[in-house]
Amino acid sequence: MQLVLHNIDKVLSGSLAEPVLDVDTIVVDDGQITSFDAGSGSGSATVIDCKGMTVAAGLVDTHVHPTLGDYAHKQQSVGYLERMMHGGVTRVMSAGEVHAPGRFDADSALAIAAGAFYSFNVFQPAGMKVHGGAMLFETDTEFAHIDRAYEIGMRIIGEVGIGSLKDPVRSGELARHARDLGMTVHMHCGCTSDRGPGGDAHPHFSADDVFVVQPTIASHANTFASLSDDDIDRLCGPEGPPFVEIVQAGGTRSMLRVVERLKETDSLHRLLIGTDTPTGYGVTSLGILKTIGDICSLAGVEPEIGWAIASGQGAAAFGCDGNVIKVGAAADLVVLDASLGSVEDTATDAIAAGEFPGVAVVITDGAVRVTGSLCTLRARRVADIDVAA
Ligand SMILES: [Zn+2]
């Protein structure tokens, strides 16, 4: 089954190395991008006339807390992952199934994470790719639990500090074991979100704690009850972890400080963008789009750079080569435009101004999943989709 997108004005590739591609056609065969040559389309293709809109790599949310199915226990919200697809997010990364009830020790933590891993390996809400199964560290977690998670295929450790294990020294031993296996380790920064017993034992995770644990990602460095400015600067410095994450469910001033510190040292390749969905703040279907607009309009990041950070870079931090537009990549694509009625001319102008662009079409694995976002404003132009007979 072939899909051809043509009449494209601008392509945001999702790669920091070459964030804008000068092509006006994308040809997809069996879910993979095979060519940018308009002549390579066959007569039996589904054709999308993009009417001069922008086509971009699908977005990645590096920080969600799924449970099982498309249900957010924390907010009693059904269908929230499907709605994130309407915000251009085609892949999400679990930071721990922390809201799933009944986790009380290392065995149950492994079992709950494994359940989410197996389930989301098959279940794709509205075509979204969900990397579920981020095991949490508990007070009785042993290397053997991590080894078993790795054997199953799990590659993410949920946020250090939100399981029952609060001790940074022991967490660091486990985190380094997981990273040595090739797993990506999140670590909660700032005040604990733990409502039960245990949170009061270690109510704040500082830069010092991150340096002890040595995770892959300093998660939500702009947490609502923030790290100190000095701690943010240390995490963003050369001795900090490979990635520093900002989230929509966090403070704006501290978010901008993270971005500015990384930008001034040419280190935006260390920035990740998540939402922390769901939190007490809510489920934020447009949270990634909002954060891209924030860092572009308030911290001077160019829209194509902001988009690359929130797509290909987010996938790469988890050892995944998706969410980029290149020959051979999965066709996970977003067609977008300035909103109908906006004073801006293009999607990238809108992003630079901090506006929501209008999402017109969302595609994963070459299949059209969304036509006309139910969450953004309407795109100014409407793509014509001619479905192959
Ligand atoms: Zn957290």
Side-chain angles (χ1 to χ4, degrees), residues 63 65 95 98 159-162 187-189 191-193 219-220 223 245 276 279:
H63 196 131
H65 290 291
V98 66
E159 288 177 85
V160 171
I162 65 174
M187 179 166 173
H188 179 97
C189 295
C191 290
T192 183
S193 55
S219 302
H220 54 59
T223 176
E245 180 187 65
D276 209 355
T279 63

Side-chain angles (χ1 to χ4, degrees), residues 12-340:
L12 307 184
S13 71
S15 165
L16 274 189
E18 191 180 6
V20 178
L21 302 181
D22 184 21
V23 299
D24 66 4
T25 300
I26 298 173
V27 179
V28 177
D29 274 295
D30 291 329
Q32 276 198 335
I33 298 168
T34 51
S35 169
F36 300 122
D37 176 7
S40 66
S42 73
S44 62
T46 290
V47 178
I48 301 181
D49 181 348
C50 296
K51 306 267 191 72
M53 290 191 277
T54 297
V55 176
L59 295 170
V60 176
D61 186 335
T62 60
H63 196 131
V64 299
H65 290 291
T67 51
L68 277 184
D70 195 355
Y71 175 63
H73 188 267
K74 178 87 174 177
Q75 287 287 352
Q76 303 193 352
S77 173
V78 177
Y80 73 106
L81 293 168
E82 274 198 37
R83 282 299 185 265
M84 290 171 74
M85 284 282 282
H86 287 255
V89 176
T90 61
R91 187 187 305 275
V92 301
M93 304 300 188
S94 177
E97 286 72 27
V98 66
H99 304 308
R103 175 179 47 82
F104 62 94
D105 65 0
D107 288 345
S108 58
L110 172 59
I112 287 170
F117 173 79
Y118 282 120
S119 177
F120 282 114
N121 255 356
V122 176
F123 174 53
Q124 296 189 340
M128 171 185 272
K129 298 169 182 181
V130 180
H131 294 235
M135 192 179 75
L136 296 171
F137 289 164
E138 310 296 340
T139 52
D140 58 338
T141 299
E142 303 285 346
F143 286 178
H145 293 98
I146 300 169
D147 294 341
R148 179 67 187 132
Y150 185 84
E151 285 165 17
I152 288 170
M154 298 153 68
R155 293 291 180 269
I156 308 175
I157 296 295
E159 288 177 85
V160 171
I162 65 174
S164 58
L165 180 63
K166 308 295 179 186
D167 172 30
V169 173
R170 176 60 178 159
S171 297
E173 292 169 3
L174 297 172
R176 285 189 290 281
H177 182 73
R179 287 188 65 190
D180 286 346
L181 291 172
M183 301 176 84
T184 299
V185 180
H186 297 267
M187 179 166 173
H188 179 97
C189 295
C191 290
T192 183
S193 55
D194 199 329
R195 289 172 180 275
D200 47 354
H202 200 102
H204 179 86
F205 291 90
S206 65
D208 279 340
D209 294 328
V210 173
F211 281 93
V212 170
V213 173
Q214 299 177 18
T216 317
I217 304 168
S219 302
H220 54 59
N222 64 320
T223 176
F224 273 129
S226 188
L227 296 171
S228 68
D229 288 353
D230 184 51
D231 269 11
I232 288 176
D233 295 352
R234 290 175 63 208
L235 292 179
C236 294
E239 308 300 321
F243 295 99
V244 183
E245 180 187 65
I246 55 173
V247 295
Q248 182 54 216
T252 305
R253 194 187 74 87
S254 47
M255 172 184 75
L256 295 175
R257 191 175 185 96
V258 170
V259 176
E260 285 159 2
R261 288 295 167 272
L262 293 174
K263 186 165 176 262
E264 71 194 14
T265 53
D266 284 331
S267 300
L268 286 175
H269 59 278
R270 294 176 56 205
L271 181 64
L272 298 179
I273 300 177
T275 59
D276 209 355
T277 292
T279 63
Y281 178 54
V283 290
T284 47
S285 313
L286 304 183
I288 300 295
L289 281 179
K290 174 74 166 63
T291 306
I292 297 171
D294 286 346
I295 68 171
C296 292
S297 61
L298 300 174
V301 176
E302 291 164 352
E304 58 269 27
I305 300 291
W307 197 281
I309 289 165
S311 50
Q313 183 153 302
F318 292 81
C320 169
D321 61 2
N323 299 78
V324 291
I325 297 180
K326 65 179 183 183
V327 170
D332 297 350
L333 307 168
V334 182
V335 183
L336 67 165
D337 198 6
S339 300
L340 183 66

